[in-house]
Amino acid sequence: MPREVVSELAPTGVLRAAINMGNFLLVTGKSPSGDPTGVSPHMAAAIAARLGVPVKYLPYARPGEIADDAEKGLWDIGLIGAEPQRAAVINFTAAYCEIEATYLVPAGSPITSIAEVDQPGKRCAVTARSAYGLWLENNFKKGQLVQFDSADAALKAFDGENMDAYAGLRPGLLQVAQARPGSRILDGQFTAVQQAVGTAKKNAAGFEFLKAFVEEAKRAGIVGSFIEREGVIGRLSVAPPG
């Protein structure tokens, strides 16, 4: 392993991995020591093992907060959705896995397709700064995108303010729909959230290593084994080659 790569990605002697605790598919629990467990922490641990250093998990409540700290030297790699707004301060690998994002519509809604949501007069609730929320910020053109600080706040508005749709990750919408009889999850997807590994722009050699590692992990079945181990088959997919 080139010394330059290790010095860039583990300047303190450990790989400090920023983990988005808000994604229940990528972080599925905690170890006895309190560290996060799941596909995302497994990826960080595998990267640290390849570098030959210990891993230290840095839990963040929201992915946007990880991006906020990108240039502060507080973490070495961040495992979050790769979005253009975040790429301004973070270099992202190709995705290692992806998650479908779609809409939930309330009981009695006449909406039957994804395309019918982004229309004049339609209002859609979304969690601000989520990866799919950032995608909608760039692509939701005709309707009104109403953003909230948390999923709980977005759902409260969806329930109480006659919203036409609620945007979310398909696996999470399954539970949301169960709690709302008559509501429907629309077929298809408006985007697939690309879960990637990011590092600060200055880590050029480290970034080249991370890009190659992610491609190898997909090709060799490492990512697939993590998805299987965590019981999220069918909810997380191994991303195609980058």
Side-chain angles (χ1 to χ4, degrees), residues 35-126:
D35 282 332
T37 58
V39 173
S40 176
H42 290 328
M43 277 294 287
I47 291 166
R50 182 65 62 86
L51 291 171
V53 298
V55 65
K56 179 182 182 182
Y57 299 114
L58 303 178
Y60 281 78
R62 297 179 181 88
E65 294 169 4
I66 294 178
D68 289 343
D69 283 351
E71 296 179 305
K72 297 178 184 175
L74 300 177
W75 52 262
D76 304 312
I77 63 170
L79 293 96
I80 55 176
E83 293 300 324
Q85 288 97 320
R86 297 172 185 167
V89 291
I90 299 170
N91 273 338
F92 285 108
T93 67
Y96 62 91
C97 66
E98 52 187 25
I99 315 165
E100 279 192 353
T102 184
Y103 300 111
L104 179 80
V105 296
S109 172
I111 294 173
T112 59
S113 70
I114 296 275
E116 292 172 55
V117 177
D118 184 13
Q119 295 297 330
K122 297 285 191 288
R123 294 189 305 150
C124 175
V126 67

Side-chain angles (χ1 to χ4, degrees), residues 22-24 61-63 104 125-130 132 146-160 163 165-169 172-173 175-176 180:
N23 192 313
F24 62 95
R62 297 179 181 88
L104 179 80
V126 67
T127 306
R129 303 185 75 196
S130 59
Y132 52 89
V146 188
Q147 304 195 51
F148 297 89
D149 284 341
S150 68
D152 286 344
L155 281 168
K156 187 175 180 182
F158 173 73
D159 291 333
M163 293 279 179
Y166 169 72
L169 301 178
L173 291 179
Q175 291 176 307
V176 174
R180 291 161 179 79

